[in-house]
Each structure stands twice: as structure tokens, then as C-alpha cells.
């Protein structure tokens, strides 16, 4: 009887699980293992074809330069060794690195601000410790004014157009004689009109045409859309029209002159006239605290030569131009009705008195 546990287990397994004892052949589980170099290493004595150098890097003292080292004998033993350099004699080529410029400026932590405190267009002066303007190159500086004087609005443009017309004809009264009614020719054409038909077309379409329209509609009411026929806005004071040949004419009587001078002075006081806008050293308009252009003299602008009053007889005496100067005519002294009557009575009393002071008897 089996006493050992191993014997018991052997009997039970033989009788129950494996009742038939048969010789079973053992199975071999060996696997052929190949390495990646088996194909190369199996080549023996053949000529080597491929790169003739390997990549290496220099020492730390050299700055780890990239090097190409020639293949030496023993590195690839499976090939013909006669074509390789002797061991330790392979050539080494070092590629030249890019030489970067060395920054020799020395800065301290005290000179470097934590953040730039200066606004755009300024930089911090390290010596003065204040913000100073960044100097611009001559090419970056804009030449000429950025906000030059100019007429603002249609009425300001009309004042300038009338002033130009007066200057062009040699004065409001070119013959030197005062006239109650004057007619001016307003020319809004530009230099483009001198360059043939194409220039005239462009000038009429984009410069003269729009300027004429604004001037005519400023002082007249268009009768019919598309036609240059206008009724006056200010009665017979200012009458505007456009002739068949495209010329704009404006007629002013004495009240119309005074009204126009009031328009001109109002535009000047509003800062809309280029001729009276104040400029700085760079030729730019100087703006006031309210953003309106500041003005310079004269306060009153009178292209028509009036004082802008409402009474032509008192405010606009007749004058003529003599030797380049304005000479006003002396107004005639008028005698009132009351003064004439009182003088007549006095004369009658003198005639009725006698030499001794006694009244003559009536005849």
C-alpha cells in the first residue's frame, strides 16, 4: 500500500484519469530566432557599397561639433576590409558652425524697467528716467500739414467763389464808379478743363458741375428738376442763373451785397472760412477747446465792401477808386421840412420890420 502522498497521487491518476498507459512522445517547442543583422552578417568578404563615414560629435570643450568619421577596419567585419581605413586612422571632418555676433552691451537689472511705462510714440530715457518722444527718421516724417485750412460747408465755398470772381475781374467796381447793381461771373472750373475734351468732361462731371449746382441751389430755387432755371430765394437782392454756355452768373443789388457780406462774416466767425482760420507753425488749423477752428482777423469779412447794415443810404455811401485807394463821396446835407418852414417865418418877420424897429403897416 502506498504511504507517500506522491505514490497515492500517481496511483489515482493512473487508474482514473489515464487508465491506459501509453508512451507519449515529447513535443519540442524550440523556435528559430532571427536578428535584424542576420542578412548583413551573413555577407562575408563582399565589397561594401554605402556611406563611407559615420556621424559623431566632438567633446564638450569643443562645443559638441558635428563630425563625419571615415569608416575604419573592424566596424563592418562582414565586408572586404581592404577598402576601409586602418583602425585609428580614419579621417574626421568637422562642419563649421555659424558664427553668431556676440552682444557686448552690458545691462544691469536696475536699468531694465519691469514694464514700459511710456505711451505709444515715447520711450523711457535711462538717464533722465522720463518718457521722451521717439525720434522719427526723415523718411518717416510727413511733409506738409495734416489739417490745412479749408472752406467748410457750401456757404463758405460760395464766399470764396465770389471773392475769387471779384479779384479776377479787377475789383467789384473795375471802372472805379460805384454801381447799385453788380453782376459777377462765377468760374468753378479746374485746371483739368485745359486738357482737351476728356479733361473738360472730367472737370464738368466731378468738379465744376457739382460746385455750380451747390452755388445755384444755395441762392436760388430750381424751377424744374434737370433744368438750370432758378427763382431767387432773396427776392431781387441776389439773382443767380446759368447761361447756355455753362457760365454761372450772380447779380447783387445793394441790399444783396449787404446780405452777402453778413453771410461772409457769419461763416468767418464760425471758423468755416479758410482765409481767416488760425494756423500753427506747421500750417495746421488750430482748434479751440470746443473742437471748432479758431479764427484770426479781420472779424468782419466783407467781399462786397459794405458794413453789412440794412440801410444802404446810411451804411453804404457811394465811393470810387482813385490811385488805388477808396475815396467816399461826401453825402449831401438834407434840410428837413421843419427847418425850412421855421427859416421862412423868420425871413418874413425881418421883412415887415422898420429901420427903427417898428412894424410896417400892411399894404
Amino acid at each position: 500500500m502506498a504511504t507517500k502522498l506522491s505514490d497515492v497521487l500517481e496511483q489515482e491518476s493512473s487508474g482514473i484519469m489515464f487508465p491506459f498507459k501509453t508512451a507519449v512522445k515529447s513535443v519540442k517547442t524550440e523556435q528559430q530566432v532571427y536578428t535584424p543583422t542576420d542578412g548583413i552578417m551573413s555577407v562575408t568578404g563582399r565589397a561594401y557599397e554605402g556611406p563611407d563615414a559615420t556621424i559623431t560629435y566632438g567633446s564638450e570643450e569643443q562645443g559638441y561639433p558635428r563630425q563625419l568619421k571615415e569608416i575604419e577596419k573592424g566596424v563592418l567585419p562582414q565586408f572586404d576590409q581592404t577598402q576601409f581605413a586602418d583602425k585609428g586612422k580614419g579621417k574626421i571632418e568637422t562642419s563649421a558652425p555659424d558664427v553668431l555676433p556676440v552682444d557686448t552691451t552690458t545691462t544691469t537689472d536696475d536699468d531694465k524697467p519691469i514694464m514700459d511705462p511710456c505711451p505709444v510714440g515715447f520711450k523711457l530715457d535711462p538717464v533722465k528716467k522720463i518718457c521722451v518722444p521717439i525720434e522719427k527718421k526723415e523718411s518717416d516724417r510727413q511733409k506738409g500739414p495734416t489739417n490745412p485750412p479749408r472752406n467748410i460747408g457750401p456757404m463758405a465755398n460760395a464766399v470764396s467763389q465770389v471773392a475769387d470772381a471779384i479779384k479776377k475781374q479787377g475789383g467789384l467796381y473795375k471802372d472805379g464808379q460805384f454801381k447799385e447793381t453788380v453782376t459777377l461771373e462765377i468760374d468753378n472750373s479746374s485746371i483739368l478743363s485745359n486738357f482737351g475734351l476728356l479733361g473738360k468732361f472730367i472737370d464738368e462731371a466731378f468738379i465744376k458741375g457739382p460746385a455750380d449746382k451747390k452755388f445755384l441751389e444755395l441762392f436760388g430755387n430750381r424751377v424744374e428738376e434737370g433744368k438750370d432755371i432758378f427763382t431767387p430765394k432773396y427776392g431781387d437782392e441776389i439773382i443767380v442763373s446759368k447761361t447756355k454756355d455753362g457760365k454761372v452768373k450772380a447779380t447783387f443789388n445793394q441790399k444783396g451785397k449787404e446780405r452777402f457780406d453778413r453771410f461772409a462774416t457769419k461763416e468767418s466767425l464760425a471758423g468755416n472760412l479758410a482765409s481767416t482760420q488760425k494756423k500753427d507753425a506747421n500750417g495746421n488749423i488750430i482748434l479751440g477747446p470746443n473742437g471748432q477752428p479758431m479764427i484770426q482777423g479781420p472779424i468782419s469779412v466783407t467781399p462786397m465792401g459794405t458794413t453789412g447794415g440794412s440801410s444802404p443810404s446810411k451804411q453804404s455811401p457811394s465811393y470810387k477808386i482813385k490811385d488805388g485807394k477808396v475815396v467816399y463821396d461826401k453825402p449831401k446835407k438834407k434840410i428837413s421840412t421843419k427847418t425850412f418852414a421855421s427859416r421862412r417865418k423868420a425871413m418874413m418877420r425881418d421883412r415887415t420890420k422898420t429901420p427903427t424897429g417898428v412894424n410896417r403897416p400892411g399894404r
Side-chain angles (χ1 to χ4, degrees), residues 233-293:
K233 280 186 179 181
Y234 306 102
D236 59 351
E237 295 181 7
I238 304 174
I239 300 174
V240 293
S241 61
K242 191 169 186 178
T243 60
K244 293 181 179 181
D245 56 355
K247 295 180 180 179
V248 174
K249 292 188 177 182
T251 301
F252 303 83
N253 65 10
Q254 190 60 33
K255 288 186 177 181
K257 298 176 200 174
E258 294 169 357
R259 181 184 292 276
F260 189 83
D261 282 350
R262 290 197 297 270
F263 286 154
T265 300
K266 182 179 179 181
E267 291 299 310
S268 175
L269 294 175
N272 295 335
L273 280 185
S275 59
T276 58
Q277 289 169 349
K278 199 171 184 179
K279 299 181 292 182
D280 59 14
N282 296 323
N284 294 308
I285 300 174
I286 300 177
L287 301 179
N290 60 350
Q292 182 176 336

Side-chain angles (χ1 to χ4, degrees), residues 13 50-51 151 230 234 290 342:
S13 62
N151 294 318
F230 297 86
Y234 306 102
N290 60 350
S342 61

Side-chain angles (χ1 to χ4, degrees), residues 124-199:
L124 183 65
D125 191 318
V127 178
K128 299 179 181 179
K129 303 295 183 182
I130 59 174
C131 294
V132 296
I134 298 175
E135 294 183 1
K136 294 183 178 180
K137 298 179 181 178
E138 190 65 28
S139 58
D140 296 338
R141 294 178 182 174
Q142 183 173 355
K143 296 181 180 179
T146 57
N147 188 24
R150 62 192 179 280
N151 294 318
I152 303 173
M155 184 58 76
N157 285 324
V159 171
S160 179
Q161 291 162 1
V162 169
D164 291 342
I166 294 174
K167 183 178 179 180
K168 185 177 180 180
Q169 75 171 16
L172 188 61
Y173 310 110
K174 54 185 177 180
D175 55 356
Q177 296 295 327
F178 172 80
K179 294 180 181 178
E180 184 77 19
T181 303
V182 294
T183 300
L184 300 174
E185 184 178 312
I186 309 300
D187 186 9
N188 292 318
S189 59
S190 68
I191 195 173
L192 291 174
S193 61
N194 299 327
F195 294 95
L197 294 177
L198 180 60

Side-chain angles (χ1 to χ4, degrees), residues 319-361:
Y319 64 90
K320 54 187 174 182
I321 301 174
K322 185 177 181 180
D323 298 331
K325 296 181 180 180
V326 178
V327 179
Y328 291 93
D329 296 337
K330 292 182 180 181
K332 295 180 180 180
K333 191 174 181 180
K334 294 182 179 181
I335 301 175
S336 63
T337 307
K338 290 184 178 180
T339 303
F340 180 77
S342 61
R343 287 183 179 181
R344 188 171 182 277
K345 287 182 180 180
M347 290 174 64
M348 291 298 294
R349 284 196 302 267
D350 293 342
R351 289 179 63 183
T352 57
K353 288 183 179 180
T354 61
T356 58
V358 180
N359 291 337
R360 292 181 181 180

Side-chain angles (χ1 to χ4, degrees), residues 4 14 46 51 54 134 142 164 189 225 291 309 313 337:
K4 295 182 178 180
S14 301
R46 293 185 181 180
T54 58
I134 298 175
Q142 183 173 355
D164 291 342
S189 59
E225 191 65 31
S313 60
T337 307

